[in-house]
Amino acid sequence: MKKKLGIIITVFFITLALLIAVTFNVMLSEKEQVFFIYFILVMVMVITTVRLFRWLKSNVMIPMEKLGESISEVTNGNLDHILDQDSDDELGEICQGFEDLRIKLKENRDSRSQLERENKELIGNISHDLKTPITAIKGYAEGILDGVVTTPQQQEKYVRTIYNKADDMARLIDELAYYTKIDTNRIPYKFEKVSPVEFFYDCVEDVGLDLESKGIVFTNEENVSDRDIVIADVEQLAKVVNNIVNNAVKYMDKTPGRICIRLLDDGDFVRFEIEDNGKGIDAADLPNIFDRFYRTDTSRSSNTGGSGIGLSIAKKIIEDHGGKIWAASKAGVGSTFIFILRKYQETEMNDE
């Protein structure tokens, strides 16, 4: 708009000068006409120069000064300095390109800082949570070595406790190793056609034995056709179930504790539900439970510890399978974790 206004004013003065020259041409002598023409030309040049300088200052010099200032700030590490330039010419495009670059650099810096904080938090969480089972293992082992255990029943109790604590340590270490894969998108998937019914009963068998040893009442329900198929990685899908079940056990606060796993038909999908009667999740925490490192229990007791990435791993795996995962819960009553996978259709392969 400013550029157009400057051109209009300049053209106006030139036109006015020509009109004056033509009007007074018959009234002036030859010398006076030459002087008048030179005077008009000088005035036009002065006005044009002033307009050109003002245009250069507002459209070139000031933007270049702002661009130079922004380059200096970014060079010195200040990525919060905003380049305020709204012109739509070529220089404006250059300034906007630099501003886009600054924003991208800032996002990368913030993302890297967040990742560093998460890594430190992960290491701190696992270091803290490893101390509990290590201390317990040392204590029970010393009890056996010192002769405190005098009966086979006591010996079995001590050995079983040592085994359970070692299993907790193995799980934490496994989560740490798996975290490095999920963070770099290097999860080794091996997708294949899988019967959800067969997978379900394999999980029931594995999970049932473990929960029985922990004194938790375990039940299961299944209502899916044997002919239904899903495309999945059995090993990774089993990790999802185990992570959810381990989370339920971690926050179990009732005796007896109860966990039920269901496999249900849901139209074009198969639906897995894992329900428990644990402490439940507050409504304020529910939207965040699948976030990495999020912990609803900040007390970090030995019963509710953990790295805080089990459910985020489960979410990542299900989403990589093209499915969805969510949870419903009521504080003090219990929680239900649900994930769905699309049924495989033979026409999908034919279409490809």
Side-chain angles (χ1 to χ4, degrees):
M1 186 66 182
K2 292 180 179 179
K3 187 187 298 185
K4 291 181 179 179
L5 182 60
I7 294 174
I8 291 172
I9 292 174
T10 302
V11 171
F12 171 77
F13 274 106
I14 294 174
T15 305
L16 180 61
L18 292 175
L19 288 174
I20 293 173
V22 171
T23 302
F24 288 94
N25 183 45
V26 297
M27 301 173 57
L28 301 175
S29 65
E30 184 177 349
K31 289 184 178 181
E32 290 174 335
Q33 290 179 17
V34 172
F35 173 79
F36 185 76
I37 291 173
Y38 277 118
F39 175 77
I40 294 297
L41 289 176
V42 169
M43 291 299 298
V44 169
M45 290 177 62
V46 170
I47 294 172
T48 303
T49 301
V50 171
R51 295 300 305 172
L52 179 60
F53 176 78
R54 293 179 63 183
W55 180 85
L56 287 173
K57 182 177 180 180
S58 62
N59 291 275
V60 178
M61 297 172 64
I62 293 178
M64 287 296 292
E65 183 178 348
K66 290 182 178 180
L67 179 59
E69 182 181 353
S70 294
I71 292 174
S72 177
E73 292 289 340
V74 171
T75 302
N76 293 327
N78 180 15
L79 298 178
D80 295 316
H81 181 81
I82 299 175
L83 176 56
D84 185 16
Q85 174 61 29
D86 57 358
S87 62
D88 56 358
D89 55 12
E90 290 78 2
L91 184 56
E93 293 179 0
I94 294 174
C95 291
Q96 185 59 50
F98 182 82
E99 177 65 8
D100 293 341
L101 175 61
R102 180 196 66 82
I103 294 173
K104 187 64 175 179
L105 290 173
K106 184 176 184 298
E107 291 175 350
N108 290 340
R109 183 197 64 184
D110 294 344
S111 177
R112 185 170 61 253
S113 298
Q114 177 66 19
L115 181 59
E116 291 175 355
R117 287 194 296 270
E118 290 179 350
N119 286 337
K120 290 179 180 178
E121 183 177 355
L122 174 65
I123 294 173
N125 289 351
I126 291 183
S127 298
H128 179 282
D129 295 325
L130 281 175
K131 291 179 181 179
T132 300
I134 288 176
T135 301
I137 289 173
K138 289 177 64 178
Y140 281 96
E142 288 174 357
I144 295 175
L145 293 174
D146 293 342
V148 176
V149 180
T150 58
T151 65
Q153 292 79 9
Q154 288 180 319
Q155 184 178 16
E156 180 182 357
K157 178 182 177 180
Y158 274 50
V159 171
R160 182 173 292 278
T161 301
I162 291 174
Y163 174 83
N164 289 337
K165 297 300 180 181
D167 187 59
D168 290 340
M169 292 175 60
R171 177 176 54 80
L172 287 169
I173 294 172
D174 181 63
E175 284 190 354
L176 177 60
Y178 202 88
Y179 166 76
T180 61
K181 296 177 181 178
I182 194 174
D183 195 54
T184 55
N185 292 317
R186 292 189 292 108
I187 299 177
Y189 288 115
K190 183 180 178 181
F191 291 105
E192 57 186 344
K193 294 181 181 179
V194 176
S195 166
V197 175
E198 292 181 5
F199 169 77
F200 174 76
Y201 283 111
D202 287 342
C203 286
V204 165
E205 184 177 354
D206 293 340
V207 171
L209 293 174
D210 183 55
L211 293 180
E212 183 181 351
S213 67
K214 296 177 180 177
I216 295 176
V217 178
F218 175 67
T219 56
N220 65 86
E221 302 174 14
E222 180 266 315
N223 184 26
V224 171
S225 171
D226 293 337
R227 297 186 298 274
D228 285 333
I229 296 294
V230 296
I231 302 298
D233 183 316
V234 173
E235 181 180 350
Q236 305 301 336
L237 211 56
K239 186 178 290 292
V240 173
V241 175
N242 288 331
N243 284 3
I244 295 175
V245 170
N246 288 335
N247 190 74
V249 173
K250 184 194 308 180
Y251 292 100
M252 185 64 67
D253 64 345
K254 298 180 180 65
T255 302
R258 299 181 183 275
I259 292 179
C260 178
I261 299 182
R262 305 185 187 93
L263 175 64
L264 306 174
D265 190 294
D266 194 2
D268 292 336
F269 300 87
V270 292
R271 178 185 180 104
F272 289 82
E273 296 184 355
I274 303 175
E275 182 180 4
D276 66 70
N277 68 333
K279 64 185 297 184
I281 305 169
D282 291 334
D285 292 319
L286 197 58
N288 305 311
I289 59 174
F290 292 102
D291 294 345
R292 194 180 303 182
F293 305 112
Y294 190 83
R295 306 164 75 114
T296 60
D297 189 342
T298 57
S299 64
R300 298 188 54 79
S301 69
S302 60
N303 292 327
T304 59
S307 63
I309 60 174
L311 293 181
S312 67
I313 289 175
K315 180 183 178 182
K316 171 68 173 175
I317 293 174
I318 292 300
E319 290 180 347
D320 287 349
H321 278 70
K324 295 182 180 180
I325 185 169
W326 68 94
S329 183
K330 186 175 182 180
V333 178
S335 305
T336 302
F337 286 82
I338 305 126
F339 65 88
I340 59 174
L341 298 175
R342 182 179 292 275
K343 296 177 183 177
Y344 172 76
Q345 304 292 336
E346 290 294 339
T347 54
E348 295 178 7
M349 184 63 70
N350 294 335
D351 291 341
E352 294 177 1

